[in-house]
């Protein structure tokens, strides 16, 4: 059984807490797109085949997916600030390893360590819930969640500029420097969380989840090279299904599981996580399509002929708009609730992709699409943590937020594989050169629009939030036999949150 410590911090949270945590989120999210501007040159830079070079991208994705739920749980047990600093330290080590090598295996290892830092975002969200007053929490979590998109978007032009004007290893030295800055700011500004789950870490559950995620995500990210119906791909999917089912059975039998599956099947948590997968799918499409369209030469008849740096600058407003939407979300959510803002964000995102089908003939049109999508995706990203945090007890915020971040990563992985396959299958081949076609770009936007339609349908099943003061407070052994564990029903949650002041 787990219990929550109610010790309060000795000092109040600084006013710089939210900006610092948001900056940390932006930096760690940038690790995912750090190498996008040089991805086509990686085989030559690393002296390997194109299929092997993609491992420097895949390794970051896999390590981030594995780390987020595990570090979230460790944060609940031992302190979110400590785990946040640890994840940043691992990122700095990984960046330095990558900066000092051009060997494929060493570079892949370094990139895997950098992906570990993705757990900083759910840890930051958990810290905000634990130390901020309620009136500041909505906008703060919105900004922290949006940092995933902000960092990915802003990294594109910055990385392109660095890669175009200097040695590409400078990207990693810069990442290491930013990581050290994040650690220093966290030590100076961010207090430790007063909320703890008393218990032991579920090593078996962490091992099973890690194995299942790797077996599931690996064929998704490599199916373009291996083939969706190849024996390797199908065997890995089958192995993932077996491992994850066994893991789920084991978790249900443990008193202190890594992930409380009984909590995850509550409608508010389940449908939020399912919708998060669709949000992850849709977000990545614009980043995969528009930079290519902007950089294709005008001689193709539809390319917009921009340089790598200019294409990155056209993508930057995606992240900036997401950042500016955070305070707008806070006002909308306070009046209408996070479910309504999630639905609104998905509608705007669908409109943006729909408009994009006809706005691909000039650079300024791409800018219009990017701004619309930034507003829509910003609202959806901002709504997701509020829905999760409002549905779980404080002692499980880190693990639950990590799982939600994982769902978005799974959506992004699916999107990367599917869109990559679509663009490859519809590409024009001639004179030894493969060029994406306008048909492939439009099909990709249609896929993103469809993902938003599915996400919207899932969001409509989310229950209407009930005011906390109306939560039942039944005693253990009452009519519903609700046990007093942290994740077992609203009655226990009401008692626990009353004790912790949340």
């Amino acid at each position: 059984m787990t219990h929550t410590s109610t010790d309060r911090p000795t000092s109040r949270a600084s006013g710089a807490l939210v900006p610092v945590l948001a900056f940390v989120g932006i930096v760690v999210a940038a690790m995912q797109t750090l190498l996008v501007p040089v991805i086509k040159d990686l085989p030559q830079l690393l002296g390997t085949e194109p299929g092997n070079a993609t491992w420097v991208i895949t390794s970051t994705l896999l390590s981030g997916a594995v780390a987020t739920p595990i570090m979230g749980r460790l944060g609940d047990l031992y302190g979110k600030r400590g785990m946040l600093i640890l994840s940043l330290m691992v990122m700095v080590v990984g960046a330095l390893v990558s900066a000092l090598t051009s060997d494929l295996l060493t570079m892949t290892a370094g990139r895997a360590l950098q992906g570990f830092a993705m757990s900083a975002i759910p840890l930051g969200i958990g810290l905000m819930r634990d130390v901020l007053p309620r009136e500041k929490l909505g906008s703060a979590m919105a900004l922290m969640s949006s940092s995933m998109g902000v960092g990915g978007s802003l990294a594109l032009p910055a990385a392109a500029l660095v890669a175009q004007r200097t040695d590409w290893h400078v990207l990693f030295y810069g990442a290491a420097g930013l990581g050290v800055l994040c650690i220093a700011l966290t030590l100076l500004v961010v207090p430790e969380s007063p909320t703890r789950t008393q218990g032991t870490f579920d090593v078996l559950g962490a091992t099973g989840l890690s194995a299942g995620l790797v077996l599931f995500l690996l064929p998704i990210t490599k199916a373009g090279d291996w083939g969706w119906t190849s024996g390797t791909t199908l065997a890995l999917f089958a192995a993932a299904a077996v491992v994850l089912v066994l893991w789920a059975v084991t978790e249900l039998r443990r008193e202190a599981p890594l992930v409380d599956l009984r909590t995850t099947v509550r409608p508010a948590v389940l449908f939020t996580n399912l919708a998060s997968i669709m949000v992850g799918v849709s977000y990545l499409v614009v980043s995969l399509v528009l930079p290519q369209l902007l950089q294709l030469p005008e001689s193709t008849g539809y390319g917009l002929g921009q340089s790598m740096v200019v294409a990155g600058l056209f993508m930057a407003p995606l992240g900036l708009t997401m950042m500016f939407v955070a305070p707008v979300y806070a006002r909308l959510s306070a009046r209408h609730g996070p479910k309504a803002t999630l639905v609104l964000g998905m509608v705007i995102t669908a409109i943006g992709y729909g408009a994009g089908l006809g706005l691909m003939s000039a650079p300024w049109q791409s800018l219009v699409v990017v701004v619309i999508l930034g507003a829509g995706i910003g609202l959806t990203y901002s709504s997701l943590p509020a829905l999760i945090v409002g549905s779980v007890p404080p002692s499980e915020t880190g693990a639950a937020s990590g799982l939600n971040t994982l769902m978005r990563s799974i959506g992004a992985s699916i999107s990367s594989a599917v869109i990559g396959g679509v663009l490859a299958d519809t590409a024009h081949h001639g004179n030894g050169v493969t060029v994406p076609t306008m048909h492939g770009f439009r099909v990709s936007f249609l896929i993103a629009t469809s993902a938003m339609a599915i996400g919207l349908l899932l969001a409509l099943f989310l229950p209407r939030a009930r005011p906390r003061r109306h939560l039942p407070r039944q005693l253990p052994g009452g009519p519903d036999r609700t046990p007093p564990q942290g994740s077992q029903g609203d009655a226990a949650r009401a008692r626990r949150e009353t004790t912790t002041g949340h």
Side-chain angles (χ1 to χ4, degrees), residues 114-286:
Q114 291 168 60
F116 199 86
M118 280 304 296
S119 57
I121 294 175
L123 287 168
I125 292 172
L127 273 166
M128 288 175 174
R129 177 181 183 172
D130 293 344
V131 304
L132 289 178
R134 188 182 300 277
E135 64 271 13
K136 295 182 179 180
L137 187 57
S139 58
M141 288 195 307
L143 185 61
M144 190 68 190
S145 182
S146 297
S147 67
M148 288 184 67
V150 174
S153 300
L154 296 183
L156 289 173
L161 183 62
V162 170
Q164 188 168 289
R165 296 186 176 275
T166 188
D167 182 78
W168 66 292
H169 289 92
V170 173
L171 292 171
F172 300 114
Y173 286 114
L178 289 172
V180 171
L181 177 60
C182 287
I183 293 172
L185 291 173
T186 302
L187 289 170
L188 290 172
V189 172
V190 180
E192 184 54 276
S193 165
T195 304
R196 290 284 197 284
T197 295
Q198 302 300 326
T200 58
F201 181 67
D202 181 9
V203 177
L204 180 62
T207 304
L209 180 61
S210 301
L213 288 175
V214 171
L215 290 170
F216 176 70
L217 290 173
L218 187 56
I220 287 179
T221 56
K222 299 295 291 182
D225 298 325
W226 296 343
W228 285 98
T229 59
S230 71
T232 302
T233 300
L234 296 178
L236 287 173
F237 276 134
V242 172
V243 170
L244 290 174
V245 168
L246 292 175
W247 169 78
V249 171
T250 303
E251 290 293 278
L252 288 171
R253 294 177 177 176
R254 298 184 74 86
E255 290 188 2
L258 177 72
V259 177
D260 193 326
L261 296 179
R262 293 180 179 86
T263 297
T264 63
V265 297
R266 292 178 185 170
V269 179
L270 175 63
F271 286 107
T272 299
N273 283 333
L274 292 176
S276 297
I277 295 176
M278 296 299 106
V279 172
V281 170
S282 65
Y283 166 69
L284 199 61
V285 173
V286 63

Side-chain angles (χ1 to χ4, degrees), residues 323-502:
M323 184 184 298
F324 293 141
V325 159
V328 176
Y329 157 80
R331 290 193 291 270
L332 290 174
S333 181
R335 176 173 296 185
H336 304 290
K339 175 183 175 179
T341 54
L342 176 63
V343 170
L344 177 61
M346 288 181 166
V347 169
I348 294 174
T349 305
I351 291 173
Y353 277 116
L357 293 171
L359 294 176
M360 291 188 177
S361 58
W364 69 266
Q365 294 179 357
S366 298
L367 190 60
V368 171
V369 173
V370 163
V371 170
I372 295 174
L373 290 175
I377 296 172
L379 285 175
T380 59
Y381 267 41
S382 299
S383 304
L384 296 172
L387 288 164
I388 291 294
V389 165
S391 304
V392 301
S395 60
E396 297 179 14
T397 301
S401 298
L403 185 62
N404 183 252
T405 302
L406 170 62
M407 294 299 106
R408 279 182 274 181
S409 297
I410 288 175
S413 304
I414 294 171
S415 177
S416 177
V418 171
I419 300 304
V422 167
L423 295 178
D425 292 342
T426 58
H428 173 73
H429 305 274
N431 299 323
V433 178
T434 301
V435 180
T437 63
M438 181 62 78
H439 175 63
F441 293 148
R442 290 197 169 113
V443 170
S444 299
F445 270 33
L446 283 173
I447 291 172
T449 307
S450 301
M452 278 296 90
I454 297 172
L456 181 59
L457 180 63
L458 292 168
L460 294 177
F461 283 96
L462 285 168
R464 186 180 297 275
R466 294 181 296 173
R468 290 179 183 269
R469 61 180 178 274
H470 292 158
L471 285 173
R473 292 181 54 109
Q474 292 179 321
L475 296 173
D480 63 352
R481 311 299 296 177
T482 303
Q485 292 180 334
S487 60
Q488 302 294 321
D490 287 333
R493 184 174 63 193
R495 288 196 300 277
R496 181 166 294 168
E497 292 182 358
T498 300
T499 344
T500 58
H502 293 281

